[in-house]
Amino acid sequence: MFGNFFKRRRTRSSGAPPTDAEIGAAGEDAATDYLHRSGYRIVERNWRCPLGELDIVCRRGDMYVFVEVKSARAQGSLPPESRVHTAKRRKLNALVRAYTKSHSINAPCRVDVISIWWDEHEPKVRHIEDISLA
């Protein structure tokens, strides 16, 4: 499904490579596909509130899992998940509280990060479960 992503994008009339937004959207699609294959049930994508956005909300059993997706064109010296710094973790914590309050959720929750990068036009996935919300 994503194997020819870059090839398809380069055939646009402009001949331009994929934009950061296209890379991000393809990364979220790849992460959703990975989660579904791994037994997670997708509840919502791109949930927004005045505080910001949650990329993916899913469930595995009774656990709600909030997934932050970080995408990159290629695996560089810094992995995509390194962009989930302390301030971003605080924001994710606030977003999870807002989501659970607005949906009246009283169930176990955790926050995961999924890194997506492309190698030879194929998405590579790294799933980091239960990040600390410092």
Side-chain angles (χ1 to χ4, degrees):
M1 181 174 181
F2 300 101
N4 293 320
F5 172 75
F6 285 102
K7 290 179 187 176
R8 285 194 316 266
R9 297 296 183 204
R10 286 191 181 126
T11 60
R12 294 186 297 185
S13 59
S14 69
T19 65
D20 288 344
E22 289 171 328
I23 296 291
E28 287 186 15
D29 288 343
T32 299
D33 185 51
Y34 163 83
L35 288 164
H36 181 72
R37 286 191 328 266
S38 299
Y40 291 81
R41 183 174 62 84
I42 307 303
V43 175
E44 219 167 329
R45 285 183 64 176
N46 305 114
W47 180 80
R48 297 184 201 299
C49 75
L51 297 173
E53 176 183 310
L54 290 169
D55 293 334
I56 301 171
V57 179
C58 55
R59 289 189 69 173
R60 191 167 203 188
D62 292 339
M63 173 87 59
Y64 276 83
V65 181
F66 300 88
V67 181
E68 177 68 14
V69 180
K70 291 298 181 189
S71 303
R73 294 173 194 274
Q75 177 72 357
S77 58
L78 290 175
E81 68 269 12
S82 68
R83 297 191 318 262
V84 183
H85 43 72
T86 302
K88 180 65 175 179
R89 291 172 191 235
R90 283 190 198 113
K91 184 174 183 178
L92 286 168
N93 192 25
L95 284 164
V96 167
R97 283 194 315 266
Y99 185 91
T100 56
K101 183 176 179 180
S102 72
H103 290 76
S104 301
I105 293 171
N106 187 19
C109 299
R110 74 170 197 243
V111 177
D112 293 0
V113 174
I114 292 185
S115 285
I116 304 285
W117 66 96
W118 277 262
D119 182 22
E120 298 295 323
H121 307 297
E122 292 295 324
K124 301 297 179 188
V125 179
R126 182 172 21 251
H127 184 181
I128 302 151
E129 295 183 1
D130 201 15
I131 66 168
S132 170
L133 291 176

